[in-house]
Amino acid sequence: MRDFARRFFASDIWWSYKSSPLVVVASIITAIIIFSSVFATYVAPYNPFDLTQFDLMDSLKPPVWMADGTSKFLLGTDDQGRDVLSTILYGSRVSLLVGFFSVIFAMIIGIVVGLVAGYSGGWVDAVLMRVADVQLSFPAILIALLVDGVARGLLPKNSHDELAVYVLIVAIALSFWVQYARTVRSSTMVERTKEYVQAAQVIGLPQPLILFRHILPNVMGPVLVIATIQLALAVITEATLSFLGVGVPPTSPSLGTLIRVGNDYLFSGEWWITVFPGVALVILVLAVNILGDWLRDALNPKLR
Amino acid sequence: MSLLKIEGMRVEFPSRRGSIVATKDVNLELAAGEILGIVGESGAGKSTIANAILDLLDPPGIMPKGKIFLEGERIDGLSLDEMRKIRGRRIGMIFQDPLTSLNPLQTIEEQLVETIVTHLDVSVARALERAIEMLDKVGIPDPAIRIKHYPHQFSGGMRQRVVIALSLCADPDVILADEPTTALDVSIQAQILDLMRKLVKETGVGMIIITHDMGVISDICDRVMVMYRGDVVEVGTTQKILGNPDHPYTKSLISAVPRPDKRIDRFPLVEYIEEAGVAHKSIDVKTHWLGKSRDFDNSKSEFLVSVKNLEMRFRTVNSIFPSKRKYLRAVDDVSFDIRAGEVFGLVGESGSGKSTVARMISGIYTPHAGNIFFDGADLTALSSRKAVNHYRRQMQMIFQDPFSSLNGRMRVADIVAEPIKFHKLASSNAEVKSIVNDLLDHVGLGAIAAKKFPHEFSGGQRQRISIARALATRPRFLICDEPTSALDVSIQAQVLNLLKDLQEELSLTMLFISHDLPVIRQVCDRVAVMRDGKLVEVADSEDLFKNPQSDYAKHLLDLMPRLVSA
């Protein structure tokens, strides 16, 4: 273990990490956000979804540094008297869960389809890519709505709320895989003609082995970058779906729902209800994006 | 006064582990109407000089020391704007690859006229006239019509002529040519070199040619500067350098060039070569894994590989009606036999179909028609994966481009171990490891190489890794597709020696593909000449070189560069 730690601190990845202050800051921020949302029960001052803990009398209190603010609620309260800081912490739980898992799920589908289409060419490629094109011509929201509607029809009614998050993940993943598939396909078509792939063919390796052991690591660069951008999109799509009433139940709102709800109060002066969740979302997305960009370069042995 | 003068140029590339010094203390002078060759192997700093002159060093390159004078005027450290007036206008550039140095979306006219109007104070109509004049000068027929064409409508050699016209059109004082003929076939190379020499003498510009090819130097240069790892080791007239060099590095460089005139047993081992010092721990192949327990019978028949009426077509125009489809015949009715234990050469210019033949034999392409027999079995008739793999294992391939033939994301140990593991040629992981180490040792890399990634190695070392990987299936038949054409001459000599040794030790049969006749002569026992997909001549190697039968073979032999200038 100590040996491993020593090797890690001597490695180029660690060197490239610590020599970029931006990446260090981004990773610390991401870690803080993930930590505080996972342990929201302990970190947050209140549990905003426990009806006994909030009071309508506290509603629409501004943040602490404004004239009417109280130190009870650092970032103010919403229309029902819930602490905004606590709702953000609890809300980013749902957002992160949906964001990460839908991205991973979409990535897996997209990579497999892209690799197979790019490597096989011919009619396999044609069929898979036309499917992708058809899907691309519908807005992601529409597909997610469709998946959600189908799921609601199939699942028993009383389990809707529990399963809502999983349905969301599947719905978002199924509408996002096309991006990965297209990118992976075009990189695969380039890699396929390189001689290391021919060398693998001459050795006699079967196609799946060539695809996953040889080509996949060489096409991952752009995929990681798309993934970080998609993470943001997934969080936003989840917000939209929740706003339309097909996402997570209002009793455990996500970051996106908070922004939507706060929107109504934006023009009546209570800006903090929507701005703080928005800022949290922007910081999260930016930090993950910087990390993804760095990871792409750090994992490339040539750029070390 | 000299046209271009460089004093004490030093170029550095700072990096994590200290600065890399690309050139140490370069001094050079170029007179008008003179062609100076800069020769050296990759990494010697040749191209760095050209880039530094134009202030186009790749970041993070810097020039901490040195002065550059153009007609007595200092040009290093000029502002971006002032430098832009010198690039193209007073110093022209010719790049290596004519495929990428022209904009494919613009006609030749647009590119030439734009350049002329930018640099010279003339009207568009006058610029067009000048452009046509230039095209005529570089030997493009019907220049007034051809100027309307796009780059893809020209062949490689014609395109390089256009690039030359482009570099000359602003009437520069100096032309820097970086490997101007490396991407071209021999016959076209000769024409382009002639043209460049003629133009330099006519217009009186000074030209610096950067090349790794001694043949180019001997054809065109007045003076030569030899570089080794950033140092200038020798400067002199072409005759002096090629005929009677002083410096041992120059001598070794010249001795490593394959001789076209006679066959020698081995290339001389020379000092000054990156890998010459590596201790070559050889293994006794009689007892080692590599040599023992071949689970296939050795040489049942006289011919190990036979190819009968092989044909390969690539579809160029597709249609739902089979009769409307158009094909390009890359390989057309090719038949030959390779005897067990011999080295069979396949020679031809680019596009002659030699690589396609190799890829069909190794199973990467499926032939359109014809049969391939390996040890008596018809490979084209086999359908089950298992049966095919049995034969695949017995033939391996070494590829041309050492930079793309190794998976950059895998460690060398994994690359070499993969075929052993896949074909289950070793019983345990520990055995695989020791075999991999032995193999790497045997090809002259040393077992330390196993832990590294391919990009940490030079071209020649990567080619050794490729060879180790090919040997890892214990093949009987090795296909070498231009294995040394991407390598420096000294490295090429080392790799060819290694292949020769391995061939003898393991009694391998080899198919050796090359466009380089001297190399073919040094390596092959029998040779087949290909042109436009057809076999032109098959003969014993010595017979072919002494007494070629077909006109095409004679033509190729005539174009062979001779080192010692007459």
Side-chain angles (χ1 to χ4, degrees):
Chain A
M1 192 57 212
R2 262 180 65 199
D3 184 48
F4 174 80
R6 208 183 47 223
R7 267 214 317 250
F8 174 76
F9 285 114
S11 74
D12 289 312
I13 291 193
W14 176 249
W15 180 80
S16 93
Y17 174 77
K18 70 176 185 194
S19 60
S20 164
L22 191 65
V23 172
V24 175
V25 171
S27 67
I28 291 173
I29 290 176
T30 314
I32 290 175
I33 294 178
I34 291 177
F35 175 85
S36 55
S37 59
V38 169
F39 297 101
T41 3
Y42 307 105
V43 178
Y46 305 96
N47 180 352
F49 309 118
D50 183 356
L51 293 171
T52 59
Q53 283 202 18
F54 57 86
D55 188 346
L56 267 181
M57 296 301 288
D58 292 328
S59 67
L60 301 179
K61 286 255 188 303
V64 60
W65 58 89
M66 285 173 66
D68 292 341
T70 86
S71 57
K72 258 175 91 186
F73 307 109
L74 286 177
L75 300 179
T77 60
D78 69 358
D79 56 324
Q80 301 187 43
R82 293 184 294 200
D83 177 35
V84 169
L85 178 63
S86 305
T87 51
I88 289 175
L89 291 176
Y90 274 82
S92 42
R93 257 180 171 183
V94 180
S95 294
L96 281 173
L97 191 73
V98 173
F100 275 113
F101 281 97
S102 60
V103 161
I104 288 171
F105 196 32
M107 207 153 99
I108 292 172
I109 305 174
I111 286 175
V112 171
V113 170
L115 278 175
V116 170
Y119 190 77
S120 316
W123 66 267
V124 177
D125 179 35
V127 169
L128 286 175
M129 282 304 114
R130 288 307 76 75
V131 171
D133 285 348
V134 168
Q135 167 134 27
L136 212 55
S137 61
F138 293 103
I141 289 286
L142 213 59
I143 292 164
L145 274 174
L146 182 77
V147 173
D148 200 79
V150 171
R152 264 160 207 271
L154 292 177
L155 294 170
K157 220 173 170 79
N158 51 7
S159 63
H160 277 180
D161 280 359
E162 296 160 42
L163 293 177
V165 170
Y166 305 102
V167 172
L168 262 182
I169 290 173
V170 172
I172 294 174
L174 285 184
S175 51
F176 276 2
W177 64 271
V178 180
Q179 288 269 350
Y180 299 97
R182 299 229 79 149
T183 316
V184 170
R185 169 181 174 263
S186 56
S187 330
T188 304
M189 288 168 78
V190 174
E191 294 296 321
R192 179 181 65 172
T193 57
K194 291 204 178 155
E195 287 176 345
Y196 73 88
V197 176
Q198 296 185 353
Q201 290 171 335
V202 173
I203 290 170
L205 298 184
Q207 189 174 326
L209 217 55
I210 295 179
L211 281 180
F212 288 100
R213 194 189 293 170
H214 289 274
I215 296 183
L216 179 60
N218 286 291
V219 301
M220 275 308 274
V223 169
L224 284 177
V225 178
I226 298 180
T228 58
I229 298 166
Q230 295 274 40
L231 179 67
L233 279 178
V235 171
I236 292 161
T237 308
E238 181 272 325
T240 318
L241 287 173
S242 298
F243 180 72
L244 293 172
V246 292
V248 288
T251 46
S252 58
S254 65
L255 223 45
T257 346
L258 293 176
I259 300 172
R260 286 285 178 169
V261 171
N263 252 345
D264 299 342
Y265 297 90
L266 197 53
F267 291 107
S268 57
E270 288 88 17
W271 51 268
W272 56 88
I273 304 175
T274 189
V275 167
F276 290 122
V279 169
L281 181 61
V282 168
I283 291 175
L284 170 69
V285 165
L286 203 61
V288 171
N289 222 321
I290 290 169
L291 276 185
D293 240 22
W294 164 77
L295 194 65
R296 177 197 52 183
D297 294 343
L299 287 183
N300 186 347
K302 275 180 221 153
L303 292 179
R304 277 179 207 163
Chain B
M1 185 176 57
S2 54
L3 190 58
L4 182 75
K5 189 172 174 193
I6 297 178
E7 278 175 13
M9 177 197 279
R10 179 186 177 89
V11 174
E12 288 176 11
F13 289 85
S15 80
R16 177 187 174 188
R17 300 181 176 87
S19 263
I20 296 158
V21 180
T23 66
K24 278 173 202 145
D25 180 24
V26 174
N27 296 292
L28 76 78
E29 270 185 66
L30 180 74
E34 183 186 40
I35 303 181
L36 171 71
I38 301 181
V39 72
E41 310 203 304
S42 42
K46 315 179 295 273
S47 295
T48 307
I49 295 180
N51 291 339
I53 291 172
L54 291 168
D55 196 18
L56 286 176
L57 286 173
D58 293 328
I62 45 167
M63 192 174 104
K65 247 193 262 171
K67 295 174 185 155
I68 305 170
F69 298 95
L70 182 63
E71 291 183 314
E73 207 182 307
R74 222 173 136 174
I75 60 164
D76 56 303
L78 287 182
S79 74
L80 222 58
D81 266 351
E82 288 168 310
M83 202 62 219
R84 222 173 271 139
K85 282 180 200 137
I86 290 179
R87 289 181 204 145
R89 170 70 189 84
R90 297 182 60 194
I91 304 180
M93 255 321 247
I94 300 173
F95 296 96
Q96 174 171 355
D97 191 355
L99 295 177
T100 53
S101 48
L102 292 170
N103 184 341
L105 294 179
Q106 288 187 348
T107 60
I108 302 303
E109 174 181 344
E110 287 171 85
Q111 305 188 38
L112 277 168
V113 169
E114 187 194 9
T115 313
I116 296 171
V117 171
T118 313
H119 291 303
L120 304 178
D121 190 19
V122 294
S123 68
V124 173
R126 174 73 196 96
L128 180 62
E129 264 173 55
R130 183 171 168 82
I132 294 173
E133 227 172 83
M134 291 311 304
L135 286 186
D136 191 40
K137 228 179 190 172
V138 296
I140 289 180
D142 303 324
I145 300 166
R146 294 292 269 165
I147 199 168
K148 305 277 182 209
H149 289 180
Y150 287 90
H152 72 264
Q153 290 165 301
F154 291 84
S155 67
M158 281 296 165
R159 237 178 280 184
Q160 197 63 313
R161 284 169 193 267
V162 173
V163 173
I164 292 173
L166 203 56
S167 71
L168 279 173
C169 66
D171 200 14
D173 306 317
V174 177
I175 292 182
L176 306 177
D178 194 351
E179 304 272 4
T181 57
T182 310
L184 304 174
D185 278 328
V186 223
S187 52
I188 295 159
Q189 166 172 327
Q191 294 166 15
I192 296 287
L193 290 179
D194 276 354
L195 171 73
M196 285 174 30
R197 183 160 186 91
K198 195 183 106 206
L199 290 175
V200 166
K201 298 301 159 193
E202 270 175 24
T203 54
V205 303
M207 182 180 251
I208 294 181
I209 288 201
I210 293 163
T211 182
H212 67 280
D213 187 340
M214 285 295 190
V216 170
I217 293 285
S218 90
D219 272 359
I220 182 171
C221 296
D222 301 313
R223 280 195 310 137
V224 186
M225 184 166 117
V226 184
M227 292 198 66
Y228 174 70
R229 302 233 173 131
D231 279 323
V232 177
V233 296
E234 199 168 355
V235 187
T237 62
T238 305
Q239 248 150 2
K240 166 87 172 68
I241 297 279
L242 292 183
N244 183 22
D246 290 329
H247 198 278
Y249 175 67
T250 319
K251 283 180 193 158
S252 69
L253 199 59
I254 290 171
S255 75
V257 177
R259 298 183 62 148
D261 51 337
K262 73 169 201 255
R263 185 167 174 157
I264 49 173
D265 194 33
R266 287 178 69 83
F267 291 99
L269 267 177
V270 279
E271 292 169 68
Y272 277 102
I273 285 169
E274 53 167 343
E275 289 144 39
V278 177
H280 176 85
K281 193 186 99 189
S282 53
I283 44 180
D284 185 4
V285 289
K286 285 193 197 73
T287 54
H288 189 261
W289 174 89
L290 192 58
K292 73 172 180 196
S293 72
R294 289 168 181 258
D295 39 345
F296 32 75
D297 299 335
N298 245 340
S299 40
K300 264 185 238 159
S301 50
E302 188 195 354
F303 299 118
L304 183 66
V305 177
S306 297
V307 166
K308 294 262 179 302
N309 309 106
L310 208 56
E311 190 178 320
M312 181 76 191
R313 307 194 294 197
F314 292 109
R315 201 180 293 162
T316 50
V317 176
N318 201 359
S319 162
I320 48 167
F321 305 110
S323 60
K324 289 246 172 96
R325 291 178 192 158
K326 284 189 186 144
Y327 297 90
L328 173 81
R329 265 169 216 248
V331 174
D332 193 1
D333 194 19
V334 167
S335 309
F336 56 80
D337 305 296
I338 303 174
R339 292 195 189 105
E342 78 172 346
V343 180
F344 187 84
L346 203 53
V347 71
E349 296 189 285
S350 53
S352 61
K354 45 192 200 311
S355 288
T356 312
V357 170
R359 280 167 168 69
M360 281 191 283
I361 297 177
S362 65
I364 295 171
Y365 295 161
T366 313
H368 190 264
N371 306 85
I372 299 161
F373 296 92
F374 185 84
D375 204 12
D378 187 353
L379 293 186
T380 46
L382 292 175
S383 53
S384 91
R385 165 149 222 120
K386 212 172 154 216
V388 172
N389 269 351
H390 174 71
Y391 290 103
R392 281 239 173 122
R393 223 193 78 203
Q394 303 181 34
M395 52 169 106
Q396 281 300 308
M397 193 156 169
I398 294 164
F399 295 88
Q400 171 174 5
D401 181 5
F403 294 92
S404 81
S405 64
L406 301 172
N407 186 345
R409 307 271 170 159
M410 283 167 80
R411 285 179 198 277
V412 170
D414 298 324
I415 291 175
V416 179
E418 189 168 42
I420 306 178
K421 283 183 177 157
F422 177 71
H423 290 292
K424 302 198 175 56
L425 299 177
S427 47
S428 67
N429 276 340
E431 195 189 349
V432 172
K433 209 175 159 193
S434 89
I435 293 170
V436 168
N437 287 345
D438 283 351
L439 277 173
L440 289 173
D441 243 349
H442 199 61
V443 297
L445 281 175
I448 358 145
K451 289 210 173 85
K452 298 187 184 171
F453 283 99
H455 70 94
E456 296 171 56
F457 295 93
S458 68
Q461 290 169 323
R462 283 157 162 257
Q463 212 57 317
R464 286 168 191 266
I465 299 171
S466 259
I467 295 172
R469 172 179 61 189
L471 292 178
T473 64
R474 284 192 302 222
R476 296 162 73 184
F477 181 53
L478 204 55
I479 302 171
C480 306
D481 188 0
E482 305 257 12
T484 58
S485 58
L487 304 179
D488 286 325
V489 272
S490 63
I491 312 295
Q492 163 172 293
Q494 306 296 306
V495 171
L496 291 179
N497 276 344
L498 173 68
L499 282 173
K500 231 170 180 173
D501 292 346
L502 290 170
Q503 193 248 338
E504 278 164 24
E505 276 174 10
L506 303 168
S507 55
L508 289 170
T509 309
M510 284 205 315
L511 173 62
F512 192 97
I513 296 170
S514 182
H515 66 280
D516 191 340
L517 284 162
V519 169
I520 288 276
R521 179 163 203 177
Q522 298 306 325
V523 176
C524 301
D525 301 317
R526 283 199 309 141
V527 183
V529 183
M530 277 188 79
R531 182 188 199 184
D532 296 338
K534 291 194 180 63
L535 216 54
V536 179
E537 187 171 350
V538 183
D540 279 354
S541 166
E542 287 304 289
D543 289 349
L544 180 86
F545 280 88
K546 285 185 188 128
N547 186 18
Q549 297 301 309
S550 59
D551 289 339
Y552 182 64
K554 277 179 201 155
H555 172 70
L556 279 184
L557 287 177
D558 277 344
L559 290 169
M560 235 174 15
R562 321 253 161 206
L563 250 200
V564 187
S565 47

